[in-house]
Amino acid sequence: GDGCDDNCLIELCQDEAALAGTFSGGSGTQNDPYIVCSPTQFANMGQDLTLHYRLGASISVDGLPLGSSPEGCFTGSFNGNDLSLQGISGTPTSSHFGLFACIAGGTVENLVLEVGALGAADYSYIGALAGSADGATITNVHLTVNGSIDGNEYTGGLIGDADNSSLSQLSLTLADNATITGGSYSGGFIGRLQSSSMTHVTVSAGTDSKITGNQYVGGLAGRGQGEATISHAELNAALTVSGTGYVGGAIGYLDGYSSLSQAACEATVE
């Protein structure tokens, strides 16, 4: 578990007997999380979304999402160990789609996410990490969109709708021609940020990369409401943000009790 250093993780993840197990090590507790070394072991997390997990190797994932909304949300912890989940793609058959359908009180940290083509325009609550999050803590998560993320309402690069959550040390890298496309409440990281904080975030956009939606569209979040606070943010000039109403380079619309501070935004708004 946590007592296992990087060399120990590498050994565990190369041990054929361990790889054949449900997990390669650990017991699922906070101090001794299950070690995830393969796509199959990642899928096995879905059997109990209340436990604690740690990534031992960079892997490709499929068969998303883990869990379902509203009763099957992730409530445990996932430490990515600064490794990556690659090839995050897939077409939803219901709303709430991403690695996790939803996160409720869970923690995700130290993780790199690489997205191919994720989502579909017919479904709401779409994000690479989760369709929605409530009471979640998300720290040091780095998202690259190589292709596209698509959804209807509440579409975010990372999370469709975040409520009562704490988000920090996030980066979004949009490859050339990459897109995040949603309906109302669409944003680079979060579609709607409600009663939550988001700090130390950067958006690095490639040529012709776009974030597009209907009402409430922003480079960071489509809308901040219920005392949402956003601070220490940077967005570079290559990004284009467009929509039909309440569109902003950083935030589409901030309610009266919400705030945006120490933000440098060079994005183009159409």
Side-chain angles (χ1 to χ4, degrees):
D2 269 358
C4 185
D5 64 14
D6 287 348
N7 289 332
C8 152
L9 280 177
I10 290 167
E11 285 176 18
L12 269 181
C13 288
Q14 290 174 344
D15 183 310
E16 286 188 20
L19 278 171
T22 309
F23 298 103
S24 284
S27 58
T29 64
Q30 204 151 9
N31 293 331
D32 187 33
Y34 281 131
I35 305 297
V36 174
C37 293
S38 71
T40 301
Q41 291 179 348
F42 182 81
N44 290 342
M45 287 170 50
Q47 294 170 15
D48 194 335
L49 292 170
T50 69
L51 298 180
H52 302 274
Y53 300 93
R54 187 174 173 205
L55 195 58
S58 293
I59 56 173
S60 295
V61 294
D62 56 19
L64 307 179
L66 296 181
S68 60
S69 175
E71 70 291 337
C73 296
F74 181 63
T75 62
S77 68
F78 185 62
N79 182 349
N81 224 47
D82 296 319
L83 296 164
S84 60
L85 297 178
Q86 301 155 356
I88 300 170
S89 297
T91 304
T93 54
S94 65
S95 68
H96 286 89
F97 190 74
L99 285 172
F100 300 102
C102 48
I103 300 172
T107 299
V108 177
E109 60 186 354
N110 311 323
L111 184 61
V112 177
L113 303 175
E114 297 181 17
V115 173
L118 180 79
D122 302 343
Y123 295 101
S124 297
Y125 298 98
I126 306 289
L129 180 60
S132 64
D134 192 352
T137 303
I138 313 294
T139 310
N140 189 29
V141 173
H142 304 283
L143 169 66
T144 297
V145 180
N146 292 309
S148 60
I149 295 177
D150 292 286
N152 197 336
E153 294 189 331
Y154 307 107
T155 297
L158 200 62
I159 300 169
D161 188 23
D163 207 344
N164 297 303
S165 295
S166 171
L167 309 146
S168 62
Q169 295 165 256
L170 309 178
S171 70
L172 167 63
T173 303
L174 292 166
D176 292 352
N177 302 301
T179 58
I180 297 173
T181 308
S184 294
Y185 304 100
S186 295
F189 288 106
I190 313 290
R192 178 178 65 173
L193 187 74
Q194 181 157 301
S195 308
S196 299
S197 64
M198 184 160 69
T199 181
H200 294 95
V201 294
T202 59
V203 177
S204 304
T207 309
D208 292 328
S209 57
K210 290 186 168 64
I211 296 172
T212 309
N214 293 338
Q215 306 259 347
Y216 309 114
V217 188
L220 302 175
R223 181 169 178 165
Q225 62 190 66
E227 297 185 32
T229 59
I230 300 156
S231 65
H232 299 90
E234 288 182 29
L235 302 92
N236 76 333
L239 179 66
T240 300
V241 183
S242 63
T244 58
Y246 304 108
V247 182
I251 311 291
Y253 185 89
L254 270 179
D255 289 17
Y257 293 103
S258 296
S259 66
L260 172 68
S261 60
Q262 290 175 278
C265 179
E266 299 175 1
T268 301
V269 174
E270 288 185 345

